[in-house]
Amino acid sequence: MNIVPNVSLANYSTMRLGGIADFLVEIHSRNDLLEALAWASERQLPTIMIGGGSNIVWQDAGFQGLVMVNKIMGYDDHLVSAGEHRLTIGAGELWDSVVARSVQAGLTGIEALSLIPGSAGATPIQNVGAYGQDISQTLESLEALDIRSNTFVTLSSADCGFAYRNSRFKSTDRGRFYIVSLTLRLSVGNPLPPFYGAIQAYLEANPVDEAITPAVLRDAVIAIRSAKLPDPEIVANNGSFFANPIVTEQQLQSLLAQHPDMPHWPLETGGAKVPAAWLLEQAGFKDYHDTATGMATWPKQPLVLVNEQARATADLLAFKEKLVSTVADRYGVTLVQEPEILP
Ligand code: NAP
């Protein structure tokens, strides 16, 4: 285990902002994790675990403690019964490589989650989802270190408190569990229609002779995402910076009275999901470049905030505040940010 002092956290967030960590260590095994926690505990230092840095923003003040970067690997594919597989995956695996391998094996269940950046272990935190699939649908269980008891525990999917882009790891039990592995249940077969509009449109424009296999769906998602989203290796960003808001029936009716053309997806529970991108565009933030903060919205997707020339996280937060308050004033809808601000 190599604990490194004074590390710039900007290199551990795809937004490339943030101060200095007093200490940082890569975690390659369960034992590394226990050792790192004991080391920090002896020095009374707080700890924090991260994956690929694609959904976190570091404060400018940095972190006066030990940052643990999860690099626990592993990909075990077990046949459970005819056509049913159980995959056990190390939390430090690159999520998209997990999707790629499962698709290559002809498995369905996570192919719509193609090209989502970050590590596998991060996906349950916000119940990552896209185009109708989310991780709660296929996660059978996960293994995590519970810092209350300092023991490894297995939590079933039902124990994770999953909701739309949310879980207990992001809400009631934030910071309590360090996830070390996931177990997914996937089946051999093809994804079933109806597909989301963007996928359907892509498949109509690019018809295939064969059935819509997991590989065909993965290719469609990759094409759609690559055309619309910046590559975090090239452009500093955290993907979608805001979740799509859920509005009440009353809010929906008043929004529709003003904007009958507003896209929305009614929910069974009443109210509807509204695209945050549409609200931002209508509020004047399409391809918007803010000279005061060095931040911008991505031309093809205003939900993605891009660090063009920001000097500090304070710039990003000022820009975010501008977007949130403008949308709130205009539409009475509060945009909630997706990336976590750390610490
Ligand atoms: P989009 O496809 O333009 O969709 C915008 C909103 O409309 C989303 O809330 C989406 O619901 C909803 N929607 C679209 N078609 C729908 C349908 N047929 N049935 C029900 N709801 C529908 O959004 P985008 O920003 O380009 O994102 C593409 C996908 O990636 C979306 O599924 C989005 O949720 C997902 N995404 C997830 C995360 C995350 O997990 N953190 C971050 C960014 C984007 P859903 O949200 O239920 O899909």
Side-chain angles (χ1 to χ4, degrees):
M1 207 176 47
N2 181 22
I3 297 177
V4 185
N6 298 323
V7 178
S8 168
L9 287 168
N11 297 327
Y12 291 90
S13 157
T14 54
M15 194 59 98
R16 292 183 210 134
L17 294 171
I20 302 286
D22 282 1
F23 300 98
L24 183 140
V25 64
E26 286 191 357
I27 301 293
H28 294 275
S29 65
R30 285 158 183 74
N31 205 37
D32 275 0
L33 177 55
L34 292 172
E35 275 183 31
L37 288 172
W39 184 91
S41 164
E42 273 164 30
R43 289 156 184 81
Q44 297 189 324
L45 290 173
T47 53
I48 218 164
M49 180 176 271
I50 62 165
S54 62
N55 205 41
I56 52 178
V57 177
W58 295 102
Q59 300 271 20
D60 291 320
F63 184 57
Q64 286 73 56
L66 175 65
V67 174
M68 302 181 295
V69 186
N70 195 323
K71 297 273 183 188
I72 300 175
M73 300 308 198
Y75 181 97
D76 294 311
D77 182 346
H78 301 284
L79 191 66
V80 179
S81 58
E84 284 286 311
H85 290 235
R86 185 177 279 137
L87 300 188
T88 300
I89 294 152
E93 288 284 343
L94 206 63
W95 173 252
D96 192 53
S97 87
V98 172
V99 178
R101 279 180 278 177
S102 74
V103 164
Q104 211 162 26
L107 300 174
T108 182
I110 54 174
E111 62 277 26
L113 310 182
S114 289
L115 221 59
I116 289 177
S119 64
T123 57
I125 310 281
Q126 58 162 335
N127 187 15
V128 160
Y131 305 111
Q133 288 179 352
D134 68 37
I135 195 72
S136 76
Q137 297 163 3
T138 41
L139 185 94
E140 193 172 72
S141 63
L142 59 78
E143 190 190 356
L145 185 87
D146 182 350
I147 58 163
R148 287 202 189 155
S149 57
N150 207 35
T151 54
F152 288 98
V153 293
T154 299
L155 302 177
S156 71
S157 184
D159 292 334
C160 294
F162 285 128
Y164 180 68
R165 307 290 180 263
N166 207 350
S167 75
R168 69 188 288 191
F169 313 113
K170 200 180 162 183
S171 55
T172 47
D173 282 319
R174 188 170 181 253
R176 175 174 164 189
F177 294 101
Y178 292 130
I179 297 173
V180 294
S181 76
L182 310 182
T183 298
L184 306 180
R185 187 81 173 243
L186 302 180
S187 44
V188 176
N190 292 334
L192 298 174
F195 299 114
Y196 266 37
I199 304 272
Q200 193 60 46
Y202 179 87
L203 294 174
E204 277 161 24
N206 302 275
V208 287
D209 294 336
E210 49 186 310
I212 309 299
T213 59
V216 168
L217 192 58
R218 172 170 167 80
D219 289 347
V221 171
I222 289 176
I224 294 165
R225 287 185 67 101
S226 325
K228 212 158 104 168
L229 301 173
D231 178 352
E233 293 286 326
I234 299 163
V235 178
N237 79 92
N238 276 149
S240 293
F241 201 84
F242 299 106
N244 289 309
I246 289 171
V247 299
T248 62
E249 192 57 38
Q250 203 181 2
Q251 278 177 308
L252 177 67
Q253 291 314 326
S254 91
L255 282 165
L256 285 174
Q258 288 173 54
H259 309 280
D261 58 339
M262 182 184 77
H264 62 282
W265 286 272
L267 301 176
E268 279 171 17
T269 46
K273 239 178 330 175
V274 172
W278 186 88
L279 295 168
L280 287 167
E281 262 189 51
Q282 297 295 309
F285 293 115
K286 189 177 166 61
D287 197 4
Y288 185 88
H289 301 260
D290 192 51
T291 42
T293 60
M295 294 293 305
T297 58
W298 184 244
K300 293 181 196 143
Q301 171 53 288
L303 215 49
V304 177
L305 307 194
V306 172
N307 166 12
E308 289 186 322
Q309 287 182 321
R311 283 147 312 196
T313 300
D315 291 326
L316 162 65
L317 297 180
F319 184 58
K320 174 203 93 170
E321 206 38 55
K322 182 173 177 169
L323 306 188
V324 170
S325 59
T326 308
V327 168
D329 289 350
R330 245 209 234 181
Y331 300 102
V333 175
T334 307
L335 291 180
V336 177
Q337 98 185 33
E338 278 204 349
E340 255 197 289
I341 307 277
L342 295 179

